[in-house]
């Protein structure tokens, strides 16, 4: 029996912020959906904020797609950050970092750090690509990259799902960028 994953991506613009919400299972069949996000990296986008609360599954291919998307944003000087990670995708990020070989100084490289950065770290990295490294995993709140003191991690609810807060996140992103 051939099974197809269900995946969609919601993209909204709030001024210079591109808010992306992947929904479902991000796997080998989903590269085309992420191309829609790359296409949205037009002039004037300064921040890409990915709300991962509705991403229920991530495989290695999907992880590579996300890493490529984040690196593409960074190479264009666009701050990229993802937050509200669910349990299974968070576990995959942890496993990828745990299996990474040590760097030349005996520390483990964290290949997923670009997906774990806080907004402030992402903005600093976009402004100065030489500062892209964070020296390891950033502080986390409930398994999600911290996006500020008022960040809604969605982790305190059954299943980690919270009601959609359409249009309310932009004020936090703008405040964090100041």
């Amino acid at each position: 029996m051939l099974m197809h994953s269900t995946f969609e991506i919601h993209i909204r613009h709030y001024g210079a912020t591109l808010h992306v919400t992947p929904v479902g299972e991000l796997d080998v069949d989903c590269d085309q959906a992420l191309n829609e996000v790359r296409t949205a990296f037009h002039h004037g986008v300064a921040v890409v904020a990915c709300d991962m609360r509705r991403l229920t599954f991530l495989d290695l291919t999907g992880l590579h797609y996300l890493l490529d998307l984040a690196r593409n944003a960074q190479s264009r000087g666009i701050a990229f950050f993802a937050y509200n990670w669910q349990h299974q995708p968070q576990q995959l990020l942890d496993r990828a970092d745990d299996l990474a070989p040590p760097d030349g100084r005996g520390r483990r490289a964290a290949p997923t750090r670009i997906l774990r950065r806080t907004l402030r770290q992402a903005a600093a990295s976009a402004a100065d690509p030489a500062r892209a490294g964070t020296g390891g995993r950033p502080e986390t709140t409930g398994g999600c990259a911290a996006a500020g003191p008022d960040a809604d991690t969605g982790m305190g609810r059954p299943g980690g799902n919270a009601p959609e807060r359409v249009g309310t996140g932009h004020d936090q992103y703008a405040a964090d960028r100041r």
Side-chain angles (χ1 to χ4, degrees):
M1 173 187 282
L2 182 61
M3 304 232 2
H4 293 283
S5 66
T6 52
F7 181 79
E8 58 187 53
I9 200 151
H10 301 190
I11 303 170
R12 297 179 302 231
H13 291 267
Y14 297 101
T17 300
L18 185 67
H19 187 268
V20 178
T21 306
V23 178
E25 301 177 0
L26 180 53
D27 57 22
V28 69
D29 297 325
C30 301
D31 188 40
Q32 186 59 38
L34 292 176
N35 281 334
E36 295 175 30
V37 178
R38 284 185 208 93
T39 301
F41 288 170
H42 60 77
H43 181 70
V45 171
V47 177
V48 175
C50 290
D51 185 348
M52 301 303 216
R53 90 177 72 206
R54 295 180 64 197
L55 181 67
T56 58
F57 177 82
L58 181 66
D59 71 3
L60 283 176
T61 304
L63 176 58
H64 284 283
Y65 291 157
L66 285 176
L67 289 168
D68 181 57
L69 184 68
R71 290 178 187 130
N72 187 294
Q74 181 178 320
S75 73
R76 295 170 181 251
I78 299 170
F80 179 97
F81 76 107
Y83 58 98
N84 286 342
W85 289 96
Q86 294 301 309
H87 184 71
Q88 186 278 331
Q90 180 72 45
Q91 281 187 314
L92 182 63
L93 269 63
D94 292 344
R95 177 68 64 157
D97 286 347
D98 290 345
L99 294 174
D103 64 11
R105 294 170 283 201
R107 295 184 310 201
R108 288 230 180 261
T112 68
R113 73 178 173 262
I114 195 168
L115 298 175
R116 298 173 183 269
R117 298 180 298 182
T118 64
L119 178 55
R120 284 189 177 86
Q121 291 168 326
S125 172
D128 181 7
R131 295 176 58 187
T134 62
R137 295 181 187 164
E139 293 294 316
T140 59
T141 304
C144 304
D150 298 325
D152 179 8
T153 64
M155 298 302 287
R157 294 161 203 85
N161 294 320
E164 268 308 299
R165 292 176 12 179
V166 178
T168 61
H170 181 260
D171 296 333
Q172 179 65 39
Y173 307 144
D176 284 348
R177 291 194 65 227
R178 290 184 201 133

